[in-house]
Amino acid sequence: MDTNLSFSSRRSPVLCLHGCAASSQPIASSLGIDILKRGGNAADAAVAIAAALAVTEPCSTGPGGDAFCLFYNGGTGEIRGINGSGRLPMAQTLDFLEGRGYNAEAPPSPSDALNVTVPGAPACWCDTVQLFGSHKLSLQEVLSGAAELAEVGFPVAEVTAHQWAKWVAALREAGKELGGDLLINGHAPKCGQVFRNPNLARTLKELGEHGKPAFYKGRVAQAIVDIINQSGGVMTFDDLSSHDSEVVTPISTEYKGVRLWEPPPNSQGLAALLLLNILDNFPLKAAGHNSSDYIHVLVEAVRLAQTDAVRYLGDPDHVTIPLETLLDKRYSHQRAQRISMGRVMEEVEPGLMTGSDTVYFCVIDSQGNACSFVNSTYMGFGSGLVPKDCGFSLQNRGASFSLRRNHVNCVAGGKRPYHTIIPALLTDSATTLEKTVLLAALGVMGALMQPQGHVQVLLNMLEFGMNPQQALDAPRVYVQYDHTTDQWSVNLEEGIGQEVADELRRRGHKVNWPITGHKRSQFGRGQIITVGDWWNPSVNQTDPPSRVLWAGSDPRADGCAMGY
């Protein structure tokens, strides 16, 4: 495959009236639209898409991972969420890990069985349909399209084939072999090759028929426990059977007439809100899109926001998080004053997170409901462990814990880690309205790129008047901390000018430019659906709001938006 793959899409935004779905696989988006046409709502369609992506993109997602969901109720304007992240086994304490010879400097390898946390995605799927679904379709009907896809097979898409091969190779380099359910004759499938997964089809059918107990209390749970214990982990049947999702109230902040909603901790949604609050102190539109001034301020704000997120963010069941203080505009104003336009900040304490593969997707239906959803196995296939006859790999989300005693994100039995995956919603911030008015469902997957991506695509629309597709097509910036060199680096995507890269270097930034080809995956893969064209500067804001849906899908992935 061409390593210089071009991602300039030149796509038009998708426009529709009755419903829209956007995901990283066309087959998955199509299944979501099918659910809407059969009387399901946005939540039903999102779960159908989640399951279809588990089939078509197992190098990013699946039942062995975690999920988060935000749901906007078109009737009431209420926004609620589900935290579908799993916990560490109860026996897996810091003392236990230190007894095995591990410490902060030498933790278990990323694919170690000790990094498998309880998969939260299947419970999140079930709870999303139960709490937010139309109740016109059963869970079995919602999952049937994905089950059939796994049974009959599908041709593997181009970017997915590249990622599949990359993560199989990474596991082999670590001395691990991916389970045969996810290979063809021991190899990753090639682009265009038809892949079948009858064991995953069976797992999805059982989940559809019997709900959560089919996964957490039946043969699947036993298979998970068996493979983890055979591989040196300590997860028990009780760890799985006691798992449940958490219904959460999203957190938000206001920015120039709109309100951005994110999941609360243990998710890193807080980082996106902190970043937006800091940027609110700067004239970004005047700086110009992707100019050296714009990128300099963005980079410095990311460093500040990420530092705070990593310092304070953990499982709220185990630590107290000063959310009100952190989201206070006075606090962000104080943080913003640390940024100097002429020179990079010297000292900003960094985070401890690594990269990930994840899927983000969103749906808006004809009743005005919206579901913003993200699902992930963390690093590619996660641990690479595939429970017998189940058809999916187990995540390695535990790799994001710290082994430093007293750290807010320190490992503990039954604890959830600092979680990178975050779906988002955007509403009008006006308080005079009868109910909260939805403006968009949006998200950009990709570990610590996610809050950076959310804010960049939002600013592309809000400050620079781009439509959803243009906002996703535009070149992005990724601010990264490199533990080997103890330095922050600024990765600039192809399309940002050399003069910008040179000026940022002059101000003291370590710049990698241009990032091209498949290496552009580090900038995440996003989806956006907006209600109306509020981002268009030529629209008369006194006109009645449009109910036309505008959608974009990231050219860095294989997917598309579809409407009807």
Side-chain angles (χ1 to χ4, degrees), residues 208 316 331 451 506:
Y331 176 75
R506 191 191 67 74

Side-chain angles (χ1 to χ4, degrees), residues 181-262:
D181 284 0
L182 298 173
L183 300 169
I184 298 177
N185 299 324
H187 299 283
K190 293 184 166 54
C191 174
Q193 193 168 6
V194 175
F195 183 79
R196 292 178 63 245
N197 191 340
N199 285 329
L200 180 56
R202 180 184 171 192
T203 298
L204 292 173
K205 284 176 186 172
E206 290 171 356
L207 185 65
E209 287 170 28
H210 306 293
K212 288 187 275 189
F215 190 92
Y216 294 97
K217 295 181 179 178
R219 78 166 180 96
V220 176
Q222 194 56 58
I224 291 172
V225 169
D226 288 346
I227 195 163
I228 289 175
N229 284 277
Q230 288 159 17
S231 307
V234 292
M235 191 174 289
T236 65
F237 199 83
D238 284 349
D239 289 320
L240 286 158
S241 63
S242 62
H243 172 78
D244 217 347
S245 311
E246 181 189 4
V247 179
V248 294
T249 301
I251 55 176
S252 67
T253 196
E254 192 270 339
Y255 180 89
K256 299 190 177 174
V258 303
R259 184 164 287 278
L260 179 65
W261 298 82
E262 299 276 356

Side-chain angles (χ1 to χ4, degrees), residues 515-535:
I515 307 293
T516 62
H518 280 293
K519 289 182 180 174
R520 293 170 81 162
S521 64
Q522 67 189 268
F523 299 104
R525 303 193 289 274
Q527 317 292 333
I528 303 171
I529 306 172
T530 70
V531 182
D533 53 351
W534 47 264
W535 34 263

Side-chain angles (χ1 to χ4, degrees), residues 94 109 173 205 384 446:
L94 182 58
S109 70
E173 279 173 28
K205 284 176 186 172

